[in-house]
Amino acid sequence: MTATIERGAATAPVSKPAPKKPTPGKRGGFLRSSNGKKVIMAVTGAVMVLFLVLHMLGNLKIFLGRDSFNEYAEALRTLLEPIAPYRTVLTILEVGLVVSVVLHMWAAISLARRARHARPVKYVAKKSQAQGYTTHIMRWGGVTILLFLVWHLLDLTFGVVNPKGYNSAPADRMIAGFDLSRWWVTLFYIVAVVMVGLHLRHGVWSMFQTLGWATRFKGLRPVAALVSAVLVIGFLAPPLAVTFGVIK
């Protein structure tokens, strides 16, 4: 007897699985990835470091006299005149700086949230003291710097909380703003600038790591510390000189 085996459905063609559709949350390309956000932080951080260096050099002109400082402040407001109207270039630079600050904060917060979601269960081992120190400095330092920037603009840029007001000369606003009678303003300035320095030291080193320079050049960690130290000293010199009567 010959048996006949019916294959039926066993020989039916097997359909290939449909390709997966991209998840909406994954769209956005490189800039929305962790590496992209680190690049954003590095680039915007470099913009802010450049601004700090130029701003520090401008502030130090107060040691050359009131006229030198006022001329520097006026030169910023008349950049490219008469091609560009009064204060146009300075306003564009200020807007660019604000955009850099916002993007920097957005990238930092996004990376922190992504890292937290990636490990919902906390590690059993405690973080090292150095890691905890860095985390607190970057978190609370950022808040302190933001509050200081608001006060700094209201005081020395717009003159809203400055004893001399907006219509006074820039040098007069600086000298009045850091007068000994307003010692608490100087103290707040010192705390904020030190926070900037600590934030900057870690930020510059992180930027070197993101750009891949940290592994190539072993001496960049002291460079990050040196840059932050120079900026802290440079920014603290004028207000302390005013408070202690060196500049009158």
Side-chain angles (χ1 to χ4, degrees):
M1 181 182 294
T2 303
T4 303
I5 301 175
E6 295 182 2
R7 297 184 180 182
T11 59
V14 179
S15 59
K16 295 181 180 180
K20 294 182 179 180
K21 295 181 179 181
T23 307
K26 299 296 183 182
R27 293 178 182 175
F30 175 72
L31 293 180
R32 293 190 63 86
S33 65
S34 295
N35 289 335
K37 290 175 181 178
K38 288 179 182 179
V39 170
I40 291 175
M41 288 194 68
V43 172
T44 54
V47 170
M48 289 186 284
V49 170
L50 178 61
F51 163 78
L52 288 173
V53 171
L54 296 177
H55 190 32
M56 178 197 69
L57 294 175
N59 284 354
L60 291 175
K61 284 185 173 292
I62 194 68
F63 288 102
L64 301 178
R66 291 172 180 253
D67 291 340
S68 178
F69 187 80
N70 290 334
E71 288 171 2
Y72 149 73
E74 184 64 17
L76 290 178
R77 290 161 174 76
T78 57
L79 283 172
L80 294 184
E81 267 195 342
I83 298 175
Y86 180 79
R87 214 185 186 284
T88 299
V89 177
L90 181 59
T91 300
I92 293 173
L93 294 175
E94 289 171 341
V95 171
L97 180 63
V98 170
V99 171
S100 295
V101 171
V102 171
L103 288 176
H104 193 81
M105 293 178 64
W106 168 78
I109 294 172
S110 299
L111 286 172
R113 288 179 175 176
R114 181 168 294 183
R116 188 168 59 251
H117 291 159
R119 52 174 190 272
V121 180
K122 295 184 179 180
Y123 294 126
V124 176
K126 293 182 179 179
K127 290 182 179 180
S128 66
Q129 292 182 352
Q131 287 176 322
Y133 164 80
T134 301
T135 300
H136 284 296
I137 287 298
M138 299 305 285
R139 181 181 301 165
W140 297 110
V143 174
T144 304
I145 293 168
L146 181 61
L147 294 175
F148 165 71
L149 285 175
V150 173
W151 172 268
H152 191 62
L153 290 172
L154 293 176
D155 187 16
L156 298 182
T157 301
F158 302 110
V160 176
V161 296
N162 189 278
K164 292 293 185 178
Y166 176 75
N167 293 324
S168 59
D172 293 337
R173 285 202 298 273
M174 174 178 280
I175 294 173
F178 294 110
D179 186 77
L180 182 59
S181 61
R182 285 163 50 100
W183 59 268
W184 51 274
V185 174
T186 304
L187 181 60
F188 181 37
Y189 189 90
I190 292 173
V191 172
V193 169
V194 170
M195 284 291 187
V196 169
L198 295 174
H199 195 97
L200 189 63
R201 184 183 65 176
H202 178 75
V204 171
W205 175 242
S206 297
M207 180 182 69
F208 290 154
Q209 289 178 312
T210 300
L211 296 175
W213 296 351
T215 54
R216 295 185 193 175
F217 311 102
K218 301 298 182 181
L220 288 180
R221 188 181 290 274
V223 171
L226 179 62
V227 170
S228 61
V230 169
L231 284 171
V232 168
I233 295 172
F235 273 107
L236 289 183
L240 290 176
V242 172
T243 300
F244 291 104
V246 178
I247 297 175
K248 299 180 180 179

mmCIF file with all atom_site columns, all heavy atoms in Angstrom, residues 49 64 74 104 106 115 126 146 219 226 232:
data_model
loop_
_atom_site.group_PDB
_atom_site.id
_atom_site.type_symbol
_atom_site.label_atom_id
_atom_site.label_alt_id
_atom_site.label_comp_id
_atom_site.label_asym_id
_atom_site.label_entity_id
_atom_site.label_seq_id
_atom_site.pdbx_PDB_ins_code
_atom_site.Cartn_x
_atom_site.Cartn_y
_atom_site.Cartn_z
_atom_site.occupancy
_atom_site.B_iso_or_equiv
_atom_site.pdbx_formal_charge
_atom_site.auth_seq_id
_atom_site.auth_comp_id
_atom_site.auth_asym_id
_atom_site.auth_atom_id
_atom_site.pdbx_PDB_model_num
ATOM 1  N N   . VAL A 1 49  ? 32.231 80.295  27.351 1.00 0.00 ? 49  VAL A N   1
ATOM 2  C CA  . VAL A 1 49  ? 33.596 80.529  27.841 1.00 0.00 ? 49  VAL A CA  1
ATOM 3  C C   . VAL A 1 49  ? 34.221 81.710  27.101 1.00 0.00 ? 49  VAL A C   1
ATOM 4  O O   . VAL A 1 49  ? 34.874 82.573  27.714 1.00 0.00 ? 49  VAL A O   1
ATOM 5  C CB  . VAL A 1 49  ? 34.456 79.264  27.663 1.00 0.00 ? 49  VAL A CB  1
ATOM 6  C CG1 . VAL A 1 49  ? 35.921 79.572  27.938 1.00 0.00 ? 49  VAL A CG1 1
ATOM 7  C CG2 . VAL A 1 49  ? 33.980 78.168  28.608 1.00 0.00 ? 49  VAL A CG2 1
ATOM 8  N N   . LEU A 1 64  ? 42.107 100.915 34.503 1.00 0.00 ? 64  LEU A N   1
ATOM 9  C CA  . LEU A 1 64  ? 42.754 101.939 33.680 1.00 0.00 ? 64  LEU A CA  1
ATOM 10 C C   . LEU A 1 64  ? 42.065 103.289 33.809 1.00 0.00 ? 64  LEU A C   1
ATOM 11 O O   . LEU A 1 64  ? 42.491 104.265 33.180 1.00 0.00 ? 64  LEU A O   1
ATOM 12 C CB  . LEU A 1 64  ? 42.767 101.500 32.211 1.00 0.00 ? 64  LEU A CB  1
ATOM 13 C CG  . LEU A 1 64  ? 43.492 100.184 31.911 1.00 0.00 ? 64  LEU A CG  1
ATOM 14 C CD1 . LEU A 1 64  ? 43.390 99.840  30.433 1.00 0.00 ? 64  LEU A CD1 1
ATOM 15 C CD2 . LEU A 1 64  ? 44.944 100.246 32.355 1.00 0.00 ? 64  LEU A CD2 1
ATOM 16 N N   . GLU A 1 74  ? 30.953 101.953 25.587 1.00 0.00 ? 74  GLU A N   1
ATOM 17 C CA  . GLU A 1 74  ? 30.354 102.651 24.448 1.00 0.00 ? 74  GLU A CA  1
ATOM 18 C C   . GLU A 1 74  ? 30.737 101.977 23.131 1.00 0.00 ? 74  GLU A C   1
ATOM 19 O O   . GLU A 1 74  ? 29.929 101.914 22.195 1.00 0.00 ? 74  GLU A O   1
ATOM 20 C CB  . GLU A 1 74  ? 30.813 104.108 24.446 1.00 0.00 ? 74  GLU A CB  1
ATOM 21 C CG  . GLU A 1 74  ? 30.178 104.961 23.359 1.00 0.00 ? 74  GLU A CG  1
ATOM 22 C CD  . GLU A 1 74  ? 28.666 105.110 23.496 1.00 0.00 ? 74  GLU A CD  1
ATOM 23 O OE1 . GLU A 1 74  ? 28.134 104.834 24.598 1.00 0.00 ? 74  GLU A OE1 1
ATOM 24 O OE2 . GLU A 1 74  ? 28.025 105.506 22.505 1.00 0.00 ? 74  GLU A OE2 1
ATOM 25 N N   . HIS A 1 104 ? 22.121 75.025  26.298 1.00 0.00 ? 104 HIS A N   1
ATOM 26 C CA  . HIS A 1 104 ? 23.022 74.343  27.228 1.00 0.00 ? 104 HIS A CA  1
ATOM 27 C C   . HIS A 1 104 ? 22.225 73.719  28.378 1.00 0.00 ? 104 HIS A C   1
ATOM 28 O O   . HIS A 1 104 ? 22.439 72.553  28.736 1.00 0.00 ? 104 HIS A O   1
ATOM 29 C CB  . HIS A 1 104 ? 24.041 75.338  27.772 1.00 0.00 ? 104 HIS A CB  1
ATOM 30 C CG  . HIS A 1 104 ? 25.199 74.707  28.478 1.00 0.00 ? 104 HIS A CG  1
ATOM 31 N ND1 . HIS A 1 104 ? 26.285 74.183  27.823 1.00 0.00 ? 104 HIS A ND1 1
ATOM 32 C CD2 . HIS A 1 104 ? 25.435 74.493  29.804 1.00 0.00 ? 104 HIS A CD2 1
ATOM 33 C CE1 . HIS A 1 104 ? 27.144 73.693  28.693 1.00 0.00 ? 104 HIS A CE1 1
ATOM 34 N NE2 . HIS A 1 104 ? 26.651 73.864  29.906 1.00 0.00 ? 104 HIS A NE2 1
ATOM 35 N N   . TRP A 1 106 ? 18.973 73.032  28.376 1.00 0.00 ? 106 TRP A N   1
ATOM 36 C CA  . TRP A 1 106 ? 18.083 71.999  27.837 1.00 0.00 ? 106 TRP A CA  1
ATOM 37 C C   . TRP A 1 106 ? 18.826 70.682  27.654 1.00 0.00 ? 106 TRP A C   1
ATOM 38 O O   . TRP A 1 106 ? 18.333 69.610  28.027 1.00 0.00 ? 106 TRP A O   1
ATOM 39 C CB  . TRP A 1 106 ? 17.501 72.458  26.505 1.00 0.00 ? 106 TRP A CB  1
ATOM 40 C CG  . TRP A 1 106 ? 16.812 71.365  25.753 1.00 0.00 ? 106 TRP A CG  1
ATOM 41 C CD1 . TRP A 1 106 ? 15.564 70.847  25.979 1.00 0.00 ? 106 TRP A CD1 1
ATOM 42 C CD2 . TRP A 1 106 ? 17.338 70.615  24.634 1.00 0.00 ? 106 TRP A CD2 1
ATOM 43 N NE1 . TRP A 1 106 ? 15.293 69.837  25.095 1.00 0.00 ? 106 TRP A NE1 1
ATOM 44 C CE2 . TRP A 1 106 ? 16.350 69.684  24.262 1.00 0.00 ? 106 TRP A CE2 1
ATOM 45 C CE3 . TRP A 1 106 ? 18.547 70.672  23.935 1.00 0.00 ? 106 TRP A CE3 1
ATOM 46 C CZ2 . TRP A 1 106 ? 16.552 68.795  23.197 1.00 0.00 ? 106 TRP A CZ2 1
ATOM 47 C CZ3 . TRP A 1 106 ? 18.746 69.789  22.877 1.00 0.00 ? 106 TRP A CZ3 1
ATOM 48 C CH2 . TRP A 1 106 ? 17.751 68.864  22.519 1.00 0.00 ? 106 TRP A CH2 1
ATOM 49 N N   . ALA A 1 115 ? 19.585 59.702  31.743 1.00 0.00 ? 115 ALA A N   1
ATOM 50 C CA  . ALA A 1 115 ? 20.414 58.839  32.588 1.00 0.00 ? 115 ALA A CA  1
ATOM 51 C C   . ALA A 1 115 ? 19.600 58.264  33.746 1.00 0.00 ? 115 ALA A C   1
ATOM 52 O O   . ALA A 1 115 ? 19.760 57.105  34.119 1.00 0.00 ? 115 ALA A O   1
ATOM 53 C CB  . ALA A 1 115 ? 21.612 59.628  33.116 1.00 0.00 ? 115 ALA A CB  1
ATOM 54 N N   . LYS A 1 126 ? 27.025 53.182  46.976 1.00 0.00 ? 126 LYS A N   1
ATOM 55 C CA  . LYS A 1 126 ? 26.874 54.624  47.009 1.00 0.00 ? 126 LYS A CA  1
ATOM 56 C C   . LYS A 1 126 ? 27.882 55.282  46.071 1.00 0.00 ? 126 LYS A C   1
ATOM 57 O O   . LYS A 1 126 ? 28.956 54.758  45.809 1.00 0.00 ? 126 LYS A O   1
ATOM 58 C CB  . LYS A 1 126 ? 27.099 55.140  48.437 1.00 0.00 ? 126 LYS A CB  1
ATOM 59 C CG  . LYS A 1 126 ? 26.029 54.696  49.415 1.00 0.00 ? 126 LYS A CG  1
ATOM 60 C CD  . LYS A 1 126 ? 26.297 55.290  50.787 1.00 0.00 ? 126 LYS A CD  1
ATOM 61 C CE  . LYS A 1 126 ? 25.219 54.868  51.783 1.00 0.00 ? 126 LYS A CE  1
ATOM 62 N NZ  . LYS A 1 126 ? 25.480 55.429  53.134 1.00 0.00 ? 126 LYS A NZ  1
ATOM 63 N N   . LEU A 1 146 ? 22.259 81.255  37.439 1.00 0.00 ? 146 LEU A N   1
ATOM 64 C CA  . LEU A 1 146 ? 21.078 81.816  36.775 1.00 0.00 ? 146 LEU A CA  1
ATOM 65 C C   . LEU A 1 146 ? 20.512 82.981  37.571 1.00 0.00 ? 146 LEU A C   1
ATOM 66 O O   . LEU A 1 146 ? 20.195 84.044  37.011 1.00 0.00 ? 146 LEU A O   1
ATOM 67 C CB  . LEU A 1 146 ? 20.021 80.720  36.600 1.00 0.00 ? 146 LEU A CB  1
ATOM 68 C CG  . LEU A 1 146 ? 18.739 81.142  35.890 1.00 0.00 ? 146 LEU A CG  1
ATOM 69 C CD1 . LEU A 1 146 ? 19.037 81.620  34.475 1.00 0.00 ? 146 LEU A CD1 1
ATOM 70 C CD2 . LEU A 1 146 ? 17.739 79.986  35.853 1.00 0.00 ? 146 LEU A CD2 1
ATOM 71 N N   . GLY A 1 219 ? 47.417 66.474  29.394 1.00 0.00 ? 219 GLY A N   1
ATOM 72 C CA  . GLY A 1 219 ? 47.582 67.642  30.260 1.00 0.00 ? 219 GLY A CA  1
ATOM 73 C C   . GLY A 1 219 ? 46.431 68.618  30.229 1.00 0.00 ? 219 GLY A C   1
ATOM 74 O O   . GLY A 1 219 ? 46.583 69.766  30.675 1.00 0.00 ? 219 GLY A O   1
ATOM 75 N N   . LEU A 1 226 ? 43.095 75.784  35.249 1.00 0.00 ? 226 LEU A N   1
ATOM 76 C CA  . LEU A 1 226 ? 43.754 77.080  35.078 1.00 0.00 ? 226 LEU A CA  1
ATOM 77 C C   . LEU A 1 226 ? 42.814 78.105  34.462 1.00 0.00 ? 226 LEU A C   1
ATOM 78 O O   . LEU A 1 226 ? 42.764 79.264  34.904 1.00 0.00 ? 226 LEU A O   1
ATOM 79 C CB  . LEU A 1 226 ? 44.995 76.912  34.197 1.00 0.00 ? 226 LEU A CB  1
ATOM 80 C CG  . LEU A 1 226 ? 45.789 78.195  33.903 1.00 0.00 ? 226 LEU A CG  1
ATOM 81 C CD1 . LEU A 1 226 ? 46.337 78.788  35.193 1.00 0.00 ? 226 LEU A CD1 1
ATOM 82 C CD2 . LEU A 1 226 ? 46.928 77.900  32.922 1.00 0.00 ? 226 LEU A CD2 1
ATOM 83 N N   . VAL A 1 232 ? 37.978 83.359  37.487 1.00 0.00 ? 232 VAL A N   1
ATOM 84 C CA  . VAL A 1 232 ? 37.487 83.722  38.826 1.00 0.00 ? 232 VAL A CA  1
ATOM 85 C C   . VAL A 1 232 ? 38.261 84.929  39.357 1.00 0.00 ? 232 VAL A C   1
ATOM 86 O O   . VAL A 1 232 ? 37.672 85.905  39.845 1.00 0.00 ? 232 VAL A O   1
ATOM 87 C CB  . VAL A 1 232 ? 37.611 82.525  39.787 1.00 0.00 ? 232 VAL A CB  1
ATOM 88 C CG1 . VAL A 1 232 ? 37.392 82.971  41.236 1.00 0.00 ? 232 VAL A CG1 1
ATOM 89 C CG2 . VAL A 1 232 ? 36.591 81.455  39.426 1.00 0.00 ? 232 VAL A CG2 1
#
